[in-house]
């Protein structure tokens, strides 16, 4: 397993924490080696629960090319690499574990189980950033100049700044809303987000994108599930 750290500046690993010095400022982070070891134990436990006990699990911490590494705790040296040295470390592991442990079919079974049990992280961006919902600027975003406040004119969204015309501005807005506020959305909430007054227009947008829902029309909640989110993104490609 590779734990990637893209950090610029001087990185000091003390054995208790990781300290980054950049532009005369110091920041403390959890020790990535401890983090990686915990992930090793978790993966080994998961494999054992699926009937694949005894598979060796190893990890490396890979720092970005612009990281300057300093090891106050020398025991961390063998577990931390930069991208240039990663291939040789992987080759060393291949030599260390040269005998076949599982078949190709078993490897595919593990891969399928990992994918089927994957759960996306539900991350509250506003709470993390310390931003109040009232602080979020509203309006459909122009795909060309990125300005907010496109207006809807005969099923086409028009940017008042650059004149760009888009049929997909509402889809962009749904994706942005999902990332900001989470999967649940109502007609009223989306109208406020788009600065639209028409309840029927917003209802058409929500139903046209096949959002699952519950409740009667006036009190209906729609849901931008992970599957719907991927479908919305595909519409923009």
């Amino acid at each position: 397993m590779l734990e990637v750290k893209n950090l610029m500046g001087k990185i000091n690993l003390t054995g208790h924490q990781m300290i980054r010095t950049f532009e005369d400022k110091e920041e403390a982070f959890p020790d990535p080696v401890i983090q990686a070891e915990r992930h090793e134990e978790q993966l080994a436990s998961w494999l054992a629960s699926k009937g694949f006990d005894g598979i060796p699990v190893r990890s490396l911490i890979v720092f970005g090319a612009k990281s300057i590494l300093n090891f106050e705790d020398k025991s961390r040296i063998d577990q931390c690499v930069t991208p240039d040295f990663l291939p040789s470390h992987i080759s060393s592991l291949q030599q260390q574990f040269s005998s076949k442990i599982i078949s190709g079919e078993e490897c595919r079974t593990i891969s399928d189980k990992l994918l089927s049990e994957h759960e996306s992280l539900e991350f509250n961006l506003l709470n993390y950033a310390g931003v109040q919902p009232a602080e979020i600027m509203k309006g459909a975003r122009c795909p060309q100049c990125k300005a907010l406040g496109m207006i809807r004119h005969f099923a086409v969204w028009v940017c008042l700044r650059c004149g760009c015309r888009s049929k997909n501005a509402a889809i962009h807005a749904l994706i942005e809303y999902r990332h900001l506020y989470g999967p649940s959305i109502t007609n009223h909430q989306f109208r406020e987000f788009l600065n639209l007054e028409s309840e029927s227009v917003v209802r058409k947008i929500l139903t046209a994108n096949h959002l699952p829902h519950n409740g009667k029309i006036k009190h209906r909640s729609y849901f931008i599930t992970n599957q719907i989110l991927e479908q919305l993104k595909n519409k923009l490609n």
Side-chain angles (χ1 to χ4, degrees), residues 186-199:
T186 66
N187 187 301
H188 175 73
Q189 288 169 333
F190 201 38
R191 272 186 285 142
E192 282 195 338
F193 192 70
L194 289 173
N195 286 329
L196 275 180
E197 294 184 1
S198 175
E199 183 177 342

Side-chain angles (χ1 to χ4, degrees), residues 60-79:
L60 288 169
I61 295 90
V62 184
F63 286 90
K66 295 186 179 180
S67 298
I68 303 171
L69 302 182
N70 178 61
F71 296 95
E72 188 173 318
D73 180 353
K74 303 301 181 184
S75 68
R76 267 49 184 155
I77 293 177
D78 291 335
Q79 293 163 290

Side-chain angles (χ1 to χ4, degrees), residues 33-224:
V33 174
I34 295 174
Q35 180 185 20
E37 289 173 347
R38 183 172 67 251
H39 290 165
E40 283 186 26
E41 294 173 0
Q42 290 171 335
L43 180 56
S45 176
W46 182 87
L47 287 168
S49 72
K50 304 303 175 186
F52 295 99
D53 198 3
I55 295 178
V57 179
R58 296 294 183 270
S59 61
L60 288 169
I61 295 90
V62 184
F63 286 90
K66 295 186 179 180
S67 298
I68 303 171
L69 302 182
N70 178 61
F71 296 95
E72 188 173 318
D73 180 353
K74 303 301 181 184
S75 68
R76 267 49 184 155
I77 293 177
D78 291 335
Q79 293 163 290
C80 301
V81 299
T82 52
D84 289 346
F85 290 95
L86 180 58
S88 63
H89 276 261
I90 292 176
S91 295
S92 176
L93 285 172
Q94 288 174 329
Q95 293 172 11
Q96 183 181 350
F97 301 101
S98 58
S99 59
K100 189 174 183 178
I101 298 173
I102 59 174
S103 67
E105 184 61 33
E106 288 173 319
C107 189
R108 285 188 289 273
T109 298
I110 293 172
S111 174
D112 290 341
K113 288 183 180 293
L114 277 169
L115 290 172
S116 67
E117 296 193 13
H118 169 72
E119 294 181 7
S120 297
L121 175 66
E122 289 295 338
F123 184 69
N124 192 313
L125 181 61
L126 299 188
N127 286 347
Y128 178 80
V131 175
Q132 297 300 316
E135 298 178 72
I136 299 295
M137 298 173 67
K138 304 296 196 299
R141 184 184 304 278
C142 174
Q144 185 165 294
C145 72
K146 308 304 179 185
L148 292 171
M150 298 185 82
I151 61 170
R152 193 172 186 274
H153 184 68
F154 294 110
V156 175
W157 294 84
V158 181
C159 177
L160 297 178
R161 176 186 287 182
C162 70
C164 172
R165 297 168 66 85
S166 171
K167 291 185 178 181
N168 295 326
I171 296 176
H172 281 285
L174 277 172
I175 294 171
E176 288 190 352
Y177 188 98
R178 171 65 166 76
H179 290 313
L180 287 169
Y181 298 104
S184 178
I185 186 172
T186 66
N187 187 301
H188 175 73
Q189 288 169 333
F190 201 38
R191 272 186 285 142
E192 282 195 338
F193 192 70
L194 289 173
N195 286 329
L196 275 180
E197 294 184 1
S198 175
E199 183 177 342
S200 61
V201 167
V202 169
R203 187 183 305 117
K204 287 179 181 178
I205 293 171
L206 295 171
T207 55
N209 287 290
H210 307 292
L211 272 63
H213 56 78
N214 62 25
K216 295 183 179 180
I217 291 179
K218 286 199 173 183
H219 304 283
R220 179 168 290 176
S221 292
Y222 298 83
F223 301 98
I224 311 170

Side-chain angles (χ1 to χ4, degrees), residues 15-35:
H16 300 285
Q17 60 183 182
M18 177 174 66
I19 300 173
R20 190 268 290 267
T21 305
F22 182 64
E23 294 182 345
D24 298 324
K25 293 181 180 179
E26 284 191 345
E27 291 180 272
F29 300 87
D31 187 332
V33 174
I34 295 174
Q35 180 185 20

